[in-house]
Amino acid sequence: DASTTATANANGQAAVSAEGLFACGSCFFTISGDTSYETGFTNNSANTVNFIYDFFINGPSVEIDDFAFIDESAGLVVSAGASVSMAGSGGLSDFAEASLELSGGDKAHTIIANGAISDGSGLTSLFVPGGSFGYQMGNLTGSFSGSLAAGESVSFTTLLFASVSSPGFEVGGRASVGDPNNLTITPGVTSSLSISAVPVPAAVWLFGSGLLGLAGFTRRK
């Protein structure tokens, strides 16, 4: 029994989860899902503009249920993560990602955590929700910034992904990123894009006023 859920709220903020309960001694199962959130901006003005893109993603979580006390080397792997990328027509690019992987069973397991983690250790908390256990990663936060000349554009893509791989043996796993169950309270993706005009340096204003003064002086002569 397995399912993948991708959910987005009215603002397009999305989250994804994958979960399954497997019972087949000679089979190998994999279930995965992903969803993306995209936004962008084109500078339709005649002037260069600056932009700042701030993003916040609730950290991914993974958990396992081992009902038959399987061999730890059997191959259960539960993973989840998120990435944010920027691409611009003027050559702009940037990338940020965070992921969490749990391999093994409840007697022994290996944890791999990558990306921007809030507490510095790779994990924020271990949780034990009745008969299963898992880990919650810290949030992925950051910002991209740059400048766009007239006619240039920039786009931002957030990818949320989760997967559960198991050899069966009555073992279950759940991987999620964001909060697929309640996006109205804790959306999977929160972001904001601000645009501002590029300020003219003070030296340019001084140079311009000097030219005006020189023109006036010439007329008086």
Side-chain angles (χ1 to χ4, degrees):
D1 181 20
S3 64
T4 302
T5 303
T7 308
N9 63 17
N11 296 323
Q13 297 168 329
V16 63
S17 66
E19 57 185 301
L21 173 62
F22 307 103
C24 176
S26 60
C27 305
F28 193 90
F29 302 90
T30 298
I31 180 172
S32 61
D34 62 79
T35 185
S36 63
Y37 172 63
E38 300 179 6
T39 187
F41 173 77
T42 298
N43 180 13
N44 292 318
S45 71
N47 304 311
T48 299
V49 297
N50 292 329
F51 68 85
I52 299 177
Y53 181 75
D54 296 306
F55 57 87
F56 176 92
I57 302 173
N58 293 317
S61 64
V62 294
E63 68 181 75
I64 67 170
D65 292 272
D66 186 353
F67 302 101
F69 303 103
I70 64 170
D71 180 358
E72 299 304 325
S73 63
L76 173 67
V77 178
V78 184
S79 60
S83 66
V84 185
S85 60
M86 175 182 70
S89 57
L92 289 168
S93 65
D94 209 340
F95 189 79
E97 65 178 336
S99 62
L100 178 59
E101 181 180 296
L102 177 60
S103 303
D106 57 359
K107 298 185 292 296
H109 54 271
T110 300
I111 303 167
I112 301 174
N114 298 301
I117 313 304
S118 61
D119 69 350
S121 68
L123 301 169
T124 55
S125 61
L126 164 69
F127 59 89
V128 184
S132 63
F133 76 97
Y135 295 88
Q136 174 71 42
M137 178 179 272
N139 299 316
L140 175 61
T141 62
S143 64
F144 299 146
S145 61
S147 297
L148 296 176
E152 290 185 338
S153 61
V154 64
S155 62
F156 309 94
T157 302
T158 299
L159 178 66
L160 310 177
F161 55 90
S163 68
V164 178
S165 297
S166 171
F169 301 104
E170 296 188 11
V171 62
R174 181 176 190 270
S176 65
V177 64
D179 184 0
N181 301 313
N182 198 341
L183 284 170
T184 59
I185 297 178
T186 51
V189 179
T190 302
S191 62
S192 64
L193 176 62
S194 58
I195 306 294
S196 61
V198 175
V200 178
V204 173
W205 290 113
L206 291 175
F207 178 71
S209 62
L211 288 178
L212 290 174
L214 179 60
F217 176 75
T218 302
R219 284 197 300 270
R220 282 195 298 269
K221 286 184 63 180

